[in-house]
Amino acid sequence: MMPLVLASRSVAPAPLHSFISGIGERAAPEDLAGLRIGLPLRLRCAARPSRGCTLEILAPSGRPLGWLPREDAAVLEALGCDPDATAVRVSGIVPAFQRPRVQIEIALPAWPEEVAPAA
């Protein structure tokens, strides 16, 4: 009988979907005007958290757009994601009174999955 050997491969989990909180307070009008679906954004730990939000969402220019809601930041923290290395992009823009609602997609890092090769 041949011994069973496990091989490792990476599995990319489904991305998380969220939105930018506090966009009316934080975002500059020129940054809002430049938002497009698919535009990459950045996350960073806030030097001064606001209303319990600890992760800022930044425009490509590096200026703050708003906050990742604290419930979603807690999920990223529980998964051990590094905010600086986490890929974020605009997934939707919903027009609203005075400011848009910006939906985002957060790509999670792949983790190894143990599988047995076919015999």
Side-chain angles (χ1 to χ4, degrees):
M1 177 182 244
M2 194 170 189
L4 180 64
V5 178
L6 296 178
S8 178
R9 68 178 176 159
S10 292
V11 175
L16 298 177
H17 295 275
S18 187
F19 63 96
I20 302 175
S21 175
I23 205 163
E25 304 162 17
R26 304 276 297 168
E30 58 271 17
D31 289 327
L32 291 176
L35 292 177
R36 303 286 180 266
I37 293 175
L39 183 72
L41 304 173
R42 290 187 15 233
L43 283 179
R44 81 169 171 202
C45 290
R48 296 179 61 208
S50 174
R51 289 179 270 143
C53 296
T54 58
L55 292 178
E56 283 184 301
I57 299 173
L58 306 175
S61 67
R63 291 193 301 231
L65 290 172
W67 304 96
L68 184 65
R70 58 182 171 266
E71 298 84 9
D72 297 338
V75 170
L76 291 183
E77 183 180 335
L79 293 172
C81 295
D82 175 10
D84 294 323
T86 301
V88 179
R89 70 178 189 89
V90 175
S91 62
I93 301 171
V94 179
F97 180 68
Q98 295 184 337
R99 66 193 181 286
R101 173 126 173 157
V102 180
Q103 300 167 335
I104 59 172
E105 182 178 275
I106 304 166
L108 297 175
W111 55 71
E113 176 185 48
E114 300 296 312
V115 295

